[in-house]
Amino acid sequence: MTAVPPPATPSGPSLAADHELAREPRPPGHEHGELALEVSDLWAGYPGQPPAIEAIDLRVPLGEIVGLVGPNGAGKSTLFKSILGLVPSLRGEVRAFGQPVREARADVAYMPQLEEVDWEFPVSVNDVVLMGCYQGLRPFGGWSRANRHAAGEAIDRVGLGAFANRQVGELSGGQRRRVLMARSIARGSRLLLLDEPFAGLDAAVQHDLLEILDALVQEGRSVLIATHDLSCVASCSDDVLALNRRVIASGSPAAVLTEEVLSLTFERHLLQVASFAPQFAGDHSGHRVAVHDEHRHGE
């Protein structure tokens, strides 16, 4: 087989080593407590097409970050939208905080990819972040004082206080990511679903976003991140799930971010996989990993 270099990552392998955590990641093989998200045997897709994702099992414990990695077309965005009920599920169950997601929807925040947002629409940073506070119609309409306070705090938290009244179309890509992050924070949800939050960002901006996530998880929130950036996953995740329409493997970053698993996931030979997670190099014999049997999903 011809060796193919690993997929390019915007930050390079140094970010994992440079990023200073606001919290200590859970050790490999750690015990999980209550689950913020539980996905069981989920099959989902679009009408008239084969399932986009098959037999997905996924757990996001309270107060943890779980990274979701896979190539383009692997079904990461479809999984998020199916969790939220935006894409029809064909089989399986999704529960948030022990309830069907539709009953816990206020406790789940979703950060879409930049391409899914109309950035030319004439709204300010403050307007977009306030949208995160929307929980249904209120008598007489309008935003409450509590809504405006939550939006202002979220904007300050992501470092955009000076841009609160700026039109979102005037912002850079990194600033737009911060706006979407602030919108998720302002919602006050305990579970955040982040779809490619680091795509196209330089290492400094990625570092800032990782610091925000570390702090949120330290406060007890839970995060599921879908990303191509393996170094970010290595540096911030408690557990990792490798996805290519099916779950290829799940476990600690040390166990999942290996040449064997990533080659199966990205369907190519990956060189120097250890460079994505230098702190994990060496013996992984004590680390938990579940490599899933492909034939089980094809039944």
Side-chain angles (χ1 to χ4, degrees), residues 165-219:
N165 296 315
R166 184 78 58 89
Q167 294 290 300
V168 292
E170 301 174 6
L171 302 179
S172 68
Q175 290 168 335
R176 291 176 180 182
R177 300 273 182 198
R178 290 171 186 259
V179 171
L180 294 180
M181 182 76 74
R183 186 181 69 169
S184 297
I185 294 171
R187 187 174 176 84
S189 302
R190 292 186 292 159
L191 172 63
L192 280 66
L193 308 180
L194 310 181
D195 195 355
E196 296 291 351
F198 309 116
L201 303 182
D202 61 35
V205 178
Q206 289 185 12
H207 188 284
D208 290 344
L209 291 182
L210 284 171
E211 283 192 333
I212 294 168
L213 292 180
D214 286 338
L216 289 171
V217 173
Q218 191 175 33
E219 295 167 8

Side-chain angles (χ1 to χ4, degrees), residues 67-70 240-244 246-250 256 261-262 265:
L68 182 65
V69 300
V240 179
L241 185 141
L243 176 74
N244 193 340
R246 306 176 176 94
V247 176
I248 306 300
S250 58
V256 174
V261 170
L262 294 178
T265 304

Side-chain angles (χ1 to χ4, degrees), residues 5 21 50 63 74-75 97 102 222 230 241 255 268 280:
L21 297 169
F97 304 101
R102 63 181 177 275
S222 306
L230 303 182
L241 185 141
R268 62 180 68 183
F280 296 137

Side-chain angles (χ1 to χ4, degrees), residues 13-234:
S14 63
L15 178 63
D18 294 342
H19 176 57
E20 295 182 7
L21 297 169
R23 64 188 182 98
E24 284 296 324
R26 307 298 174 98
H30 61 277
E31 294 295 324
H32 299 308
E34 182 183 348
L35 296 176
L37 177 68
E38 184 173 14
V39 178
S40 303
D41 193 29
L42 180 65
W43 298 61
Y46 303 88
Q49 300 181 24
I53 53 175
E54 302 177 2
I56 304 299
D57 292 324
L58 168 66
R59 309 288 182 269
V60 180
L62 284 176
E64 296 191 26
I65 297 178
V66 174
L68 182 65
V69 300
N72 287 331
K76 300 188 298 294
S77 295
T78 300
L79 173 57
F80 276 15
K81 291 175 181 178
S82 181
I83 289 170
L84 296 166
L86 303 176
V87 170
S89 60
L90 307 174
R91 192 169 89 190
E93 184 179 34
V94 180
R95 300 181 71 83
F97 304 101
Q99 306 177 73
V101 171
R102 63 181 177 275
E103 297 176 16
R105 188 64 185 84
D107 240 346
V108 182
Y110 170 53
M111 178 176 168
Q113 297 186 31
L114 285 186
E115 294 77 12
E116 298 183 32
V117 179
D118 180 5
W119 295 102
E120 299 306 314
F121 195 79
V123 289
S124 68
V125 169
N126 192 59
D127 292 331
V128 173
V129 177
L130 274 169
M131 293 175 191
C133 301
Y134 179 76
Q135 303 286 356
L137 295 175
R138 293 193 311 114
F140 310 111
W143 301 107
S144 68
R145 181 178 299 178
N147 292 153
R148 295 186 182 280
H149 179 73
E153 279 198 336
I155 291 170
D156 288 339
R157 186 162 194 169
V158 300
L160 290 179
F163 297 85
N165 296 315
R166 184 78 58 89
Q167 294 290 300
V168 292
E170 301 174 6
L171 302 179
S172 68
Q175 290 168 335
R176 291 176 180 182
R177 300 273 182 198
R178 290 171 186 259
V179 171
L180 294 180
M181 182 76 74
R183 186 181 69 169
S184 297
I185 294 171
R187 187 174 176 84
S189 302
R190 292 186 292 159
L191 172 63
L192 280 66
L193 308 180
L194 310 181
D195 195 355
E196 296 291 351
F198 309 116
L201 303 182
D202 61 35
V205 178
Q206 289 185 12
H207 188 284
D208 290 344
L209 291 182
L210 284 171
E211 283 192 333
I212 294 168
L213 292 180
D214 286 338
L216 289 171
V217 173
Q218 191 175 33
E219 295 167 8
R221 302 201 202 192
S222 306
V223 180
L224 177 63
I225 304 175
T227 181
H228 290 90
D229 196 309
L230 303 182
S231 62
C232 286
V233 169

Side-chain angles (χ1 to χ4, degrees), residues 254-265:
V256 174
L257 300 182
T258 65
E259 182 173 1
E260 176 189 6
V261 170
L262 294 178
S263 294
L264 287 171
T265 304

